[in-house]
Amino acid sequence: MKRTTIPFGPQHPVLPEPLVLDLILEDEKVIDAIPTIGYIHRGLEMMVERVEYTEMGFVVERICGICSFMHGMGYCVSLEAIMNVEVPERARWLRLVWAEISRIQSHLLWLGLGADAFGFENLFMHCWRMREQILDIFEKTTGGRIIHSVNRIGGVKRDIADSELAAILAELQELGAAFKETARVFGTDPSIAHRLGGVGVLTKADALAVDAVGPMVRASGIATDTRLGGAFMYDQIDFEPVVETAGDCLARVLVRLREVDQSIDIIRQAIDKMPKGEGLPIENRPRGLPSGEVFTRLEQPRGEVVYYVKANGTKNLERFRARTPTFANIPAMIKLVKGCDLADVPNIILTIDPCISCTER
Amino acid sequence: MSFFSRSPWILHYDGSSCNGCDIEVLACLTPLYDVERFGVVNTGNPKHADILLVTGSVNERNIEIVRNLYRQMPDPKVVVAVGACACSGGIFARAYNVQGGIDKVIPVDVYVPGCAARPESIIDGVVQGIAALELKHRMTA
Amino acid sequence: MDTTAFLARVEEYHRDGWRLALINVTTVLPAAPAAHGAQTAVEAAAVGAAPLDGPGVFEIAWGFARGGEFKTIREQIEQGQSVPSISEFFGAAFLYENEIRELFGINVTGMGVDLKGQLYKTATRVPFSHGAVKARLAALAASAVKPS
Ligand code: SF4
């Protein structure tokens, strides 16, 4: 049997980002995959040395332009925990609303890229057209399409008027209804099922063994979701993790499809439950310098993210660390790629929804 | 109509960007902005490209790739740096693994500001890039 | 660190159904700059309270999650010492372990997959080693505009 090594990336048509895998093949079967990252490694964790803790949030937001809201939120939540700040209730609800809007944005983005990669340019366009509606909501409420900088340590910078919240909900529900048609194509088209069904199966046992997170494990029949931990107001929301059991590429698509609907419903509940009125406090600025450490976990669109922040009583943090979901999912990806056909590699890699700039920081 | 203005072919490379500018470049191709109506075609092959669109800064590892892509493009060629990172290194300029803007490695013709750069400015940058291409073409013809 | 006891604890986490959530390393600054009346690490370096003299210490935290619970095992080691790999129990550990070797210069023995220093390839070799951090802080202090 002939052994060949094929480099996948750094510039590959299915991925806008540079990820490199050295694929070792025996004929058409992949027998090993060796990851090399570092093309986007900036070293931003070291920025704490020169950027004060009040400004580090802006750097953290730019870990990734897709989850930028959630990164900003994770950073602020961590410092609030260290500095013992009580965040006003309305601000906590607003964060939840924005976080779920980010999830919809991210899933639409991914569904589009995925569709394009498996040959459905039209679906790509549909998903991204809907995504623009979400970005409009972001722009209206935060001022930014991609980078929002709306989180502050102690709360949020802007309120959203109640009337506007209602309008946003109506718009999202309308989008949800229109999305049904798109989702139907993803879920029922025979050629999509043919390309993705049964490909890259991550069994439940394997998913547990490689410590994967997010939609990746939920597609393998494990009902885990960091939001179930209840922090950040999720304890007042009624929701069940979206679970599929097949564990293949198609299941991972289906999980994300259903999570779009789920997020719209979570936003509905949040808007319903939050305290109403004008001029409610949305920020409680901390005093003094932070001292102490904390681990924070959030459920991002791609799965659990873990932040570690250590402050030593000066303006500069001693350590900031983000372990992003893609980092946790790379071992699973390598596991899936081993033993598959070369032609299936792009779909497998894509369906873990890799975010390389998150992974490398 | 001038020689290039009908259909500039674009090659997009993602340096060490945070994805923000990247995704905005992609958004330019989608229905709301739709640059294809100007005849802009996104290609993956440097030998076919007239305009190199770079997002993100250069770092230790991708510096060679940027240089290589540029070298492979036929003359005349134009480089558009999209976003603060590509222009100067942006917020990450001082991070240990970031060497700076794209102009550290290859000559840049158009700088598009913003963090993230808005699709409107990216399109504007491309349009200016076309003008630069036209000029270069006339100078060498 | 007591390697045998450490691995026994890791095995226990594994048996009890915990998931490896992260391995984090902190380059410990022996004298917190605050102790010298400085508000930033740069100021501290400027007043000569070099925060990084003395043996370089790293704090390593292995974080495990189970549902909403989160626990860590912590160890402090000195620069030059090594830690055992936990990939025997948690297969995904290899990525973190290769990372801490490249970024912090900590040698990990018995890694499941050895990427041979090819994961990141940074411009500064071992950017979070005590030497590298110290050099950056000193450069910052030297370039800081001093009030006259
Ligand atoms: S300019 Fe801003 S949005 Fe664009 S890649 Fe850099 S950090 Fe991200």
Side-chain angles (χ1 to χ4, degrees), chain A residues 53-81:
Chain A
Y53 80 96
T54 44
E55 286 163 5
M56 187 63 193
F58 301 125
V59 177
V60 174
E61 279 196 305
R62 285 160 175 85
I63 289 177
C64 166
I66 304 175
C67 303
S68 92
F69 178 83
M70 299 254 219
H71 280 305
M73 169 170 157
Y75 178 80
C76 292
V77 165
S78 306
L79 273 131
E80 284 151 8

Side-chain angles (χ1 to χ4, degrees), chain A residues 62 146-147, chain B residues 17-21 56 83-85 91-92 114-117:
Chain A
R62 285 160 175 85
I146 302 284
I147 306 284
Chain B
S17 102
C18 80
N19 259 341
C21 289
C85 286
I91 192 167
F92 302 117
C115 178

Side-chain angles (χ1 to χ4, degrees), chain C residues 7-60:
Chain C
L7 287 176
R9 284 180 73 192
V10 174
E11 188 178 1
E12 220 168 276
Y13 274 101
H14 178 63
R15 221 183 19 238
D16 296 346
W18 292 75
R19 172 171 64 79
L20 178 67
L22 91 164
I23 303 177
N24 175 60
V25 181
T26 307
T27 310
V28 180
L29 311 177
H36 301 275
Q39 294 229 308
T40 66
V42 178
E43 282 174 30
V47 296
L52 298 160
D53 283 346
V57 175
F58 294 110
E59 183 179 287
I60 312 181

Side-chain angles (χ1 to χ4, degrees), chain A residues 156-176:
Chain A
V156 292
K157 216 155 40 182
R158 300 186 190 211
D159 202 348
I160 310 178
D162 290 334
S163 57
E164 185 150 354
L165 280 170
I168 289 172
L169 180 62
E171 192 179 343
L172 285 176
Q173 284 174 330
E174 211 172 286
L175 184 139

Side-chain angles (χ1 to χ4, degrees), chain A residues 202 206-207 210 212 216 328-337 348 352:
Chain A
L202 185 69
D206 283 346
V210 293
M216 189 85 188
N329 280 337
I330 286 184
M333 178 179 87
I334 293 174
K335 169 137 205 137
L336 291 183
V337 166
I348 291 176
I352 81 158

